[in-house]
Amino acid sequence: MDTNLQRVINKIRREGITLWAGAGLSLYAGLPTGKKLAADIVKEMPKDQQEDFKNISLPEVSEEFVQMNNGSMTPVFQIINSYLNNEPKSIKYHKKLAEIPQIKQIVTTNYDDLFERAYKNSKLSVILENSQIPLANKPVKLYKIHGDMSHPNSVVLTTSHYNNFFSFKNQNQSLWNKVTSLADETSFVFLGYSLEDPNAKQLIDKLVERVGEFRHENFLVSPNLPEYKVQNLNKKGITYINMTGEEFIDTIYDEIIPKIVEDYEAGFLQPAEVDELLQKRDIEAKFEYKKGKSSIVEFGSKNGDEPLNLKFDLTHEEHNSFINFLTNDIENQELEIDGQAISNIISEYKGIHFPPFDSSTEKVNVRFIKHPDRILEGNLVIKETDEVIEDIKVHVFKTTDALRIKFIHESFTIQTIIKKVDGVSKQTLNISFEHSGNLAKDYKVSTFLQNWFVNGHTMIFNNFTDKTVVPLQSPKDTIVGEGDQGVALKDLVNSYATLYKKLFEIQNHFGVYLTVPEKFYKKDEEALNQALMAINKQKHKVESFNVGVSAENNKVTLNNFLENESLPFKHVINKAAEVTVFGQKINLGYSFIETLDGYLENRDEVSKQLEQGVDMIDLVIKSKSDEMYFGYQETDGE
């Protein structure tokens, strides 16, 4: 690459340039040159005067035409607007410039709105006059120093306008001062200017005169300038780059955009600027600031549908395991390689280069995930019951002698692997469950899989992708009957079906919304059983019942227990019982203890305490037949 061009690119990457755009940058969009506009204006003059104004510059022709129209600018504006009001043929190159976040200042002598269209004004402050300078608070500033046709008083077009512009009569002197002050802050890149145009030449000469000796190297991009003009530019502190504007934009875009993450991590860009560009490419990235350094720690496609291209060197041992993972390993979808076994990683994703994973101080492991050979979509149906599970994705992985199929739903994954071992096909099956957060959906799924896997029904996959129907016989006889794996899977499916049936029953009965946690604990199981006990009015046998009573208030009860060997007994707790199921409080009703043949196990002790006049007496009540029960009821009465 030309060294001058490389210097420009380096300056842009560090936000060190101001782009100065001329009419030549708008030609590809279908807009005319100044020479073409001048010719169109001449055509509108009286025919007997047209010959006198051929090949005259646009400001001079405009000046004469305005005088011919009694000083009115309207006719000349109408000619220019006949171009500007048309939809541009393209704004491709303006869009490319708008995508480069390091370009923060643009100066233009053009009247068109191509930059406004490219930026969509979301991050562009357009500045036409002095009063707009302090209000310009968007990231990119566009200084339209020759005005805008939508603001006629701002337009610099005629010879008189130009004379005022370069003099102290300039009504927007502060704007011109602001623009020229950028020479102290940045390098100018003049793009779309031809030195054959006397106005462009005058502009640059006046700028050099105004600024004096430039503090920064400046550049002019134009094709095929003669050597003497190049030398003249050098004397003015302007370096020449021999390219068309379109070639220049393509080149800087292709050099800068891929390195956007590298420039962010070097501290030249903000996370929001990089994230915006990545989002346009459907790239999700995770940013992190740690130990004084900003970096991207994760990245990938929003849709996960585009492979990541990596270049790296591996040790011989890791290379073999990686090749085996890609070609032969059907069981594993992921492989992690130790960072010590990797060097020189270069990654490129959707046109963006991501920096190497390793550094001089730290090497990290790299995890590879296989992309399926095919992805299918459809639903599952139980043939015997017409139960349906929708939104099923199927990932198919193939090797030379093996096949892995994964049925994926937000509540479960079924994976089957079929491979040849010593020439004989062998099938293995695995089922895993996920808590989707929707209890009704998970309950439906668990019952569905129980009908297929345990009850022996046929499951059908309606393949929307290929427009086919695929029956899947129940693995009940072939898998469940084969050793520990089948038994474990059967138990797993049954346990989930039982769990969700309980939860669904509790949710519906008590009118609460249950969100199932990732992990269950013993207390959760106990709470579930208590809730089901209340729902089903179940009673649990207990060995004894201990209760403290007031002797004064319970004389009849105490005498009955002391005078009888056994008697019917029921005690209701007068405070409603509560239990918490997965964060939801549930009112179970009133707990009670009852038996038909209760007796006092501590009869002698109770008699003694009554004789001594003790008021609060502890009773230990048991059942003669060992038939004492605990339960819940809706009211607090016996």
Side-chain angles (χ1 to χ4, degrees), residues 312 314-315 318-319 321-322 335-342 364-368:
F312 55 90
L314 289 176
T315 63
E318 292 289 356
H319 178 268
S321 67
F322 183 62
L335 174 70
E336 187 169 282
I337 296 182
D338 191 300
Q340 299 299 324
I342 304 171
V364 298
N365 295 353
V366 178
R367 185 162 54 100
F368 298 92

Side-chain angles (χ1 to χ4, degrees), residues 497-507 528-529 532:
T498 301
L499 170 65
Y500 282 115
K501 182 179 180 181
K502 290 180 179 180
L503 293 175
F504 198 61
E505 188 176 359
I506 292 169
Q507 179 169 287
L528 288 176
N529 289 334
L532 288 168

Side-chain angles (χ1 to χ4, degrees), residues 142-304:
L142 175 64
Y143 300 95
K144 302 187 80 167
I145 60 173
H146 281 182
D148 186 297
M149 285 294 163
S150 61
H151 297 78
N153 290 335
S154 69
V155 173
V156 176
L157 176 60
T158 68
T159 303
S160 298
H161 291 155
Y162 272 85
N163 290 337
N164 289 335
F165 180 77
F166 292 119
S167 74
F168 290 106
K169 296 179 183 179
N170 186 354
Q171 62 178 345
N172 285 323
Q173 188 66 33
S174 296
L175 173 59
W176 179 232
N177 290 342
K178 174 61 181 176
V179 169
T180 54
S181 72
L182 292 173
D184 290 328
E185 304 166 14
T186 64
S187 293
F188 291 136
V189 175
F190 297 97
L191 190 62
Y193 285 99
S194 168
L195 295 186
E196 303 301 321
D197 182 351
N199 301 309
K201 185 175 181 301
Q202 182 188 25
L203 176 68
I204 294 174
D205 287 344
K206 290 290 185 181
L207 181 65
V208 172
E209 179 184 321
R210 178 79 178 251
V211 172
E213 187 174 343
F214 285 112
R215 289 181 56 193
H216 301 277
E217 182 181 20
N218 298 287
F219 304 86
L220 183 138
V221 178
S222 185
N224 306 320
L225 281 186
E227 183 59 28
Y228 77 91
K229 291 192 175 183
V230 173
Q231 294 300 325
N232 190 42
L233 285 173
N234 288 338
K235 291 177 184 178
K236 297 174 181 177
I238 300 174
T239 300
Y240 172 61
I241 295 176
N242 185 6
M243 301 179 84
T244 66
E246 290 83 354
E247 289 170 342
F248 175 78
I249 293 170
D250 279 336
T251 302
I252 64 171
Y253 183 89
D254 291 342
E255 286 291 318
I256 293 171
I257 295 299
K259 298 181 176 110
I260 206 77
V261 174
E262 179 183 332
D263 288 342
Y264 158 69
E265 296 196 346
F268 298 117
L269 291 168
Q270 296 299 314
E273 294 174 317
V274 180
D275 190 49
E276 180 184 357
L277 191 143
L278 297 180
Q279 290 286 341
K280 286 182 179 178
R281 285 163 169 73
D282 288 332
I283 299 175
E284 293 279 9
K286 180 180 177 181
F287 297 81
E288 186 176 274
Y289 187 81
K290 193 174 182 181
K291 295 180 180 179
K293 185 179 185 300
S294 297
S295 60
I296 290 179
V297 294
E298 291 181 13
F299 67 93
S301 172
K302 285 183 179 179
N303 304 315

Side-chain angles (χ1 to χ4, degrees), residues 18-172:
T18 294
L19 182 67
W20 201 306
L25 186 58
S26 301
L27 295 181
Y28 81 96
L31 295 176
T33 61
K35 190 174 183 179
K36 168 64 175 167
L37 281 176
D40 287 351
I41 293 170
V42 169
K43 290 178 183 177
E44 297 299 319
M45 293 179 173
K47 290 187 178 181
D48 61 344
Q49 297 183 38
Q50 289 181 7
E51 192 65 32
D52 296 336
F53 295 102
K54 284 185 177 179
N55 302 319
I56 303 298
S57 70
L58 176 60
E60 292 175 295
V61 169
S62 299
E63 180 78 28
E64 294 295 331
F65 193 59
V66 168
Q67 291 180 22
M68 291 178 187
N69 287 277
N70 299 316
S72 172
M73 294 290 297
T74 301
V76 73
F77 282 174
Q78 288 174 342
I79 294 171
I80 297 173
N81 281 326
S82 67
Y83 291 99
L84 298 182
N85 291 337
N86 293 332
E87 192 69 21
K89 291 180 180 178
S90 170
I91 57 170
K92 169 185 174 182
Y93 292 101
H94 285 72
K95 279 186 173 181
K96 283 192 171 186
L97 290 172
E99 200 168 339
I100 299 174
Q102 294 98 323
I103 296 177
K104 297 293 177 63
Q105 291 94 216
I106 304 170
V107 181
T108 183
T109 50
N110 298 339
Y111 311 121
D112 60 64
D113 64 348
L114 300 184
F115 279 113
E116 290 91 327
R117 288 172 181 265
Y119 281 95
K120 297 181 180 177
N121 289 328
S122 60
K123 57 181 180 180
L124 184 72
S125 287
V126 180
I127 304 166
L128 301 172
E129 55 189 37
N130 297 339
S131 62
Q132 293 174 319
I133 296 174
L135 302 177
N137 56 8
K138 294 181 181 178
V140 182
K141 312 293 189 293
L142 175 64
Y143 300 95
K144 302 187 80 167
I145 60 173
H146 281 182
D148 186 297
M149 285 294 163
S150 61
H151 297 78
N153 290 335
S154 69
V155 173
V156 176
L157 176 60
T158 68
T159 303
S160 298
H161 291 155
Y162 272 85
N163 290 337
N164 289 335
F165 180 77
F166 292 119
S167 74
F168 290 106
K169 296 179 183 179
N170 186 354
Q171 62 178 345
N172 285 323

Side-chain angles (χ1 to χ4, degrees), residues 330-331 401-404 416-429 478-479 482 485:
I330 195 66
E331 297 188 9
D401 56 2
L403 178 69
R404 175 157 60 101
T416 181
I417 297 176
I418 304 170
K419 60 182 177 179
K420 287 186 178 180
V421 179
D422 298 327
V424 179
S425 291
K426 182 178 179 181
Q427 180 179 3
T428 58
L429 183 72
T478 58
I479 301 269
E482 293 183 2
Q485 183 214 6

